[in-house]
Amino acid sequence: MPDSQQQPPRSPSGQTDTAALLLCGARLTDGRTVDVRLGGGRIEAVGTAGSLAAGASGALTARVDLDGYLLLPAPAEPHAHSDTALTADGHGPHAYDERAIQRRATEAALLQLGHGATALRSHVRVGDVQGLDALTAVLEVRRSLRGLAELTTVAMPRVLTGAAGADGLAMLRDALKMGASVVGGCPDADPDPTGYVEAVLELASEHGCPVDLHTDAADPARLARLAAMAGGLRPGVTLGPCGGLGRLPSEVASRAADQLAAAGVTVVCLPQGGCGSTDRRGTAPVRLLRAAGVRIAAGSGALRDVSNPVGRGDPLEAAYLLASRYGLRPEEAYGTVSCAARAALGLPEVRVEAGFPAELLAVRGDRLAGVLSLAYSRIVIHRGRVVARTSAVREYCDSAADSGLELPRQGREEPS
């Protein structure tokens, strides 16, 4: 079943989960404190604190106390690598059979869900020795996570041109038949990068699929050709991580940014570090791209694999880095991992307003800047129900330092 047509989550009994949920006393980014009623996977109503009661059906409404929490549209992860996640841990070689990949990919997805990402796009290698085994494993993870998070897959063949390209194309077609919903790959690794892109775009046009290409974007002439070919393709083309753009002279990078903007291409940057080759570090020039009108989303990339052994897979850390290192305002930085990331995945917009999807993240704090700095306690809501909680309690030993000062302490109380 295509991901965009997934049915509402079902409870263990098999019934569709449409129970009403009332979020009480949440703070919004505009400073208001509100109650938010959810039902049927959507936001039913938003009102001043204490003003909302049971759902429209009159059924008993569960309550979650969000006093002290900031309520946000949930982030999404537009650039994950589920098949290689968590392979930097431990000693000795890791198994790459279906079962091992499925176990690691599940753990990685749940880790990212706990951070708040209710939707993820995973780039999965196909072809070579593994064939379609890694994709089979990740697609099984997608099915097992249904109702907790939405996981879509990008099929990534290594070579699509020359004598070896025929096998890669056949494998890519098989991947789409199996359930991969995005055509992708790494043109930089093919002897003929332009031919690789042509093959991907032709296949995507044939199947009506989005395109998501993994490229360093360090060659401006090659990038210009890619932008010219991608212009106007629907449902759209995404590139990432494009760290090579940041290593180009400013005038060359500016020209490339204008070409990408004209083509309507989305760029997914990876502020937490690159993925793939460890000698290609750096982040895409976010401010330059934004100034040119390029749509920018931010992802996490490698999650504790050889490319980034300390990768966290945390969208809020990506936003934090964009704000602290690259000068984006907190609202702009968070937008790259929420609204822009969801748009890159082809998902509907989320706002904390009636009628929008109930894809939400509550983080302890009262302002977005503080949340990006100290995002410890989180409550994740997918399709109108709580699917993950993270609770952090900070304690100090007795000291005279707080005597009479009424210093803040993070409370022990948990939302009901």
Side-chain angles (χ1 to χ4, degrees):
M1 178 184 297
D3 296 283
S4 61
Q5 298 178 13
Q6 288 183 8
Q7 298 301 310
R10 294 181 180 274
S11 66
S13 66
Q15 298 301 311
T16 301
D17 189 351
T18 57
L21 183 66
L22 187 62
L23 310 178
C24 304
R27 188 179 181 89
L28 303 184
T29 54
D30 61 11
R32 290 181 294 151
T33 300
V34 299
D35 288 352
V36 180
R37 190 175 65 230
L38 314 178
R42 306 193 77 81
I43 299 173
E44 288 186 345
V46 178
T48 56
S51 66
L52 298 183
S57 65
L60 182 64
T61 303
R63 300 168 64 91
V64 177
D65 182 4
L66 292 185
D67 180 33
Y69 281 74
L70 189 70
L71 188 62
L72 303 163
E77 175 50 70
H79 194 113
H81 289 273
S82 302
D83 54 336
T84 59
L86 307 177
T87 53
D89 297 342
H91 303 284
H94 279 270
Y96 281 92
D97 59 90
E98 278 186 42
R99 186 68 178 172
I101 294 172
Q102 185 178 339
R103 184 183 66 253
R104 289 196 300 266
T106 300
E107 182 181 350
L110 291 175
L111 179 65
Q112 292 176 288
L113 175 63
H115 289 319
T118 62
L120 305 95
R121 175 181 282 183
S122 176
H123 295 248
V124 182
R125 298 172 186 175
V126 299
D128 297 328
V129 176
Q130 277 188 281
L132 295 168
D133 290 351
L135 179 63
T136 300
V138 177
L139 288 174
E140 183 57 39
V141 174
R142 184 190 73 176
R143 286 186 284 271
S144 67
L145 291 177
R146 192 161 290 160
L148 292 177
E150 294 186 38
L151 174 63
T152 58
T153 51
V154 185
M156 289 184 65
R158 187 176 65 86
V159 177
L160 291 179
T161 66
D167 289 340
L169 275 172
M171 194 75 68
L172 190 52
R173 291 181 182 278
D174 287 343
L176 292 173
K177 292 176 183 177
M178 288 172 57
S181 51
V182 185
V183 184
C186 185
D188 299 357
D190 193 287
D192 178 7
T194 299
Y196 188 107
V197 173
E198 288 175 344
V200 166
L201 295 179
E202 181 179 347
L203 193 59
S205 179
E206 178 185 331
H207 288 264
C209 295
V211 170
D212 196 330
L213 292 170
H214 195 293
T215 178
D216 189 51
D219 185 329
R222 185 188 303 168
L223 190 61
R225 290 193 294 271
L226 194 160
M229 289 186 289
L233 184 72
R234 294 292 179 267
V237 176
T238 299
L239 302 180
C242 298
L245 272 176
R247 300 190 295 271
L248 296 175
S250 59
E251 64 275 11
V252 177
S254 294
R255 187 160 55 249
D258 290 339
Q259 293 164 342
L260 293 174
V265 169
T266 298
V267 170
V268 174
C269 65
L270 303 178
Q272 297 169 86
C275 49
S277 175
T278 56
D279 61 353
R280 292 182 175 180
R281 293 301 186 186
T283 300
V286 173
R287 297 183 69 179
L288 182 148
L289 290 167
R290 284 172 58 89
V294 179
R295 292 190 293 266
I296 297 291
S300 300
L303 175 55
R304 302 213 303 268
D305 66 17
V306 294
S307 301
N308 188 357
V310 295
R312 294 182 181 177
D314 185 352
L316 268 64
E317 185 185 38
Y320 155 77
L321 291 171
L322 288 177
S324 63
R325 287 188 184 177
Y326 300 98
L328 271 63
R329 293 185 295 108
E331 294 77 13
E332 294 171 336
Y334 188 73
T336 65
V337 301
S338 56
C339 296
R342 287 184 61 85
L345 270 57
L347 297 171
E349 182 183 8
V350 173
R351 299 181 193 170
V352 188
E353 298 177 15
F356 284 86
E359 303 289 321
L360 302 167
L361 172 64
V363 187
R364 185 175 288 280
D366 59 357
R367 297 185 184 279
L368 190 53
V371 159
L372 295 186
S373 175
L374 298 169
Y376 296 136
S377 297
R378 309 184 192 187
I379 299 173
V380 186
I381 295 169
H382 173 54
R383 292 181 175 175
R385 68 187 187 108
V386 174
V387 292
R389 295 176 187 248
T390 301
S391 177
V393 175
R394 176 179 290 156
E395 297 181 321
Y396 302 92
C397 64
D398 293 337
S399 169
D402 65 352
S403 178
L405 297 180
E406 298 183 357
L407 296 177
R409 290 287 185 267
Q410 183 167 334
R412 286 177 169 275
E413 298 220 358
E414 284 301 305
S416 59

